[in-house]
Amino acid sequence: QVQLVESGGGLVQAGGSLRLSCSASGGTFSRDDMGWLRQAPGKEREFVAAIRWNGALTSYADFAKGRFTISRDIAKNTVYMQMSSLKPEDTAVYYCAVATFRGANRARDFRSWGQGTQVTVSS
C-alpha cells in the first residue's frame, strides 16, 4: 500500500502563501493521478486539485482556480501544492491522496490519503 506524508502547513495571514508537499512511498506513484483534498472542522472532505499521472494535465475546484497550483516531481515521488492569496475559508486539514482512476476530480474518487497537514489562515 502507498504511504503518504504531507507537510508544509502552518499559520498564515490572509493573502499569504504556503507550499504543501506530499512524499509518497510504495504503490505506483508514477502511474497514478494524485490530488489534494481538504477538510474543515464539521465539514465534508472536499476536492481541491488533481494532477495527471504524468503531470501533463491538472484540474482544480472552483475556489482554487487562479490561487492554487498543483505539481509533481515523479523522480522524487513528491506532489506539491503552491497556495497563494489564501483566505480564512481555506482553513482546513489538507490531505494528499491517490486517485482511483485517471481524471478523478471528486473527493470520493480518491483514496490512501495521509495524516494531513493543518493550514490556518487568519483574517
Side-chain angles (χ1 to χ4, degrees):
Q1 295 183 351
V2 65
Q3 184 172 5
L4 305 173
V5 180
E6 300 95 337
S7 63
L11 175 64
V12 64
Q13 295 184 46
S17 300
L18 286 172
R19 189 193 193 208
L20 307 184
S21 297
C22 171
S23 297
S25 60
T28 54
F29 178 82
S30 63
R31 299 197 297 172
D32 293 329
D33 284 14
M34 300 293 295
W36 287 95
L37 288 67
R38 71 184 187 184
Q39 187 169 28
K43 297 185 180 296
E44 297 292 325
R45 190 168 298 183
E46 65 179 341
F47 171 80
V48 178
I51 186 166
R52 289 287 193 183
W53 65 276
N54 60 2
L57 187 66
T58 58
S59 63
Y60 298 91
D62 286 343
F63 64 78
K65 292 178 180 177
R67 299 192 299 125
F68 298 176
T69 302
I70 187 171
S71 62
R72 70 191 298 167
D73 187 330
I74 297 174
K76 295 182 178 179
N77 287 349
T78 303
V79 61
Y80 306 94
M81 188 163 68
Q82 180 68 43
M83 308 165 66
S84 62
S85 301
L86 285 164
K87 306 173 181 179
E89 52 263 44
D90 294 320
T91 296
V93 177
Y94 284 72
Y95 299 91
C96 180
V98 181
T100 58
F101 58 90
R102 293 177 176 177
N105 64 355
R106 301 182 301 174
R108 63 189 297 174
D109 295 327
F110 290 80
R111 59 174 173 81
S112 300
W113 47 83
Q115 295 301 305
T117 185
Q118 176 71 49
V119 172
T120 302
V121 184
S122 62
S123 60

